[in-house]
């Protein structure tokens, strides 16, 4: 994939560049602020950008604002956001509606190289990759009744694999069932988790949230 990096820490930025090149990816640009990221995307049109939340000049939310602008201007460009902390306001906007080709990882996760590369590949392929802690803080709901208790054993198996970021086709292969059977289980668990008519957020993300809270 063609990957553009935006990270103000020179050490981390250069380390990620080397890692990506070693994995066979192309890195046409590696920048240190949000404005430079938007300019680089306009010039190179990468497959995906990896962007830190806090960058110069204020070290607040420049990276997230750049990511949101990229999503608006170039919907085909995938976005993987890295953060030391969960920035609720902008991360919620990033996760709202269509979450295909979007990821949000805490930097602790980047230290686990395998997890980072897996998230990069998943987002680059049009999937989603959200750090469990990010999901918990953004969308956590409290309930007196465990909603997962209403699921069948097979529905729980499907949900567990959804939490791993698998598509319906991959879940069908893992469980040795047809894709149509998986789709029926997914629709059923959406109903049981009261997500059938949910708008504004991905139902798959919300379903995974219930799993993470169990």
């Amino acid at each position: 994939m063609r990957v553009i990096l935006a990270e103000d820490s020179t050490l981390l930025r250069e380390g990620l560049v080397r890692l990506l090149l070693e994995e066979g990816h192309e890195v046409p640009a590696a920048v240190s602020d949000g404005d430079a990221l938007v300019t680089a995307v306009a010039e190179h049109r990468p497959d995906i950008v990896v962007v830190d939340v806090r960058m110069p000049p204020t070290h607040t939310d420049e990276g997230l604002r750049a990511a949101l602008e990229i999503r608006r201007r170039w919907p085909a460009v995938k976005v993987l956001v890295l953060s030391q902390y969960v920035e609720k306001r902008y991360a919620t906007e990033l996760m709202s509606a269509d979450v295909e080709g979007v990821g949000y990882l805490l930097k602790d996760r980047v230290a686990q190289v395998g997890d980072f590369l897996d998230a990069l590949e998943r987002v680059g392929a049009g999937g989603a990759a959200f750090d469990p802690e990010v999901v918990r803080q953004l969308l956590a709901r409290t309930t007196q009744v465990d909603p997962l208790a209403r699921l069948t054993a097979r529905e729980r198996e499907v949900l567990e694999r959804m939490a791993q970021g698998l598509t319906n086709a991959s879940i069908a292969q893992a469980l040795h069932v047809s894709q149509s059977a998986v789709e029926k289980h997914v629709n059923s668990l959406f109903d049981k988790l009261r997500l059938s008519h949910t708008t504004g957020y991905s139902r798959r993300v919300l379903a995974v949230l219930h799993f993470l809270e169990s």
Side-chain angles (χ1 to χ4, degrees), residues 125-145:
F130 292 99
D131 194 289
E133 184 61 26
V134 172
V135 177
R136 288 191 187 98
Q137 291 197 34
L138 290 178
L139 304 176
R141 296 177 176 179
T142 58
T143 178
Q144 294 180 348
V145 179

Side-chain angles (χ1 to χ4, degrees), residues 141-152 156 159 189 192-194 207-214:
R141 296 177 176 179
T142 58
T143 178
Q144 294 180 348
V145 179
D146 180 9
L148 299 185
R150 296 190 289 268
L151 303 185
T152 66
R156 282 191 65 100
L159 181 56
L189 70 87
K192 292 179 180 179
L193 297 178
R194 299 178 181 177
V208 169
L209 166 68
H210 283 295
F211 174 75
L212 292 173
E213 291 183 328
S214 64

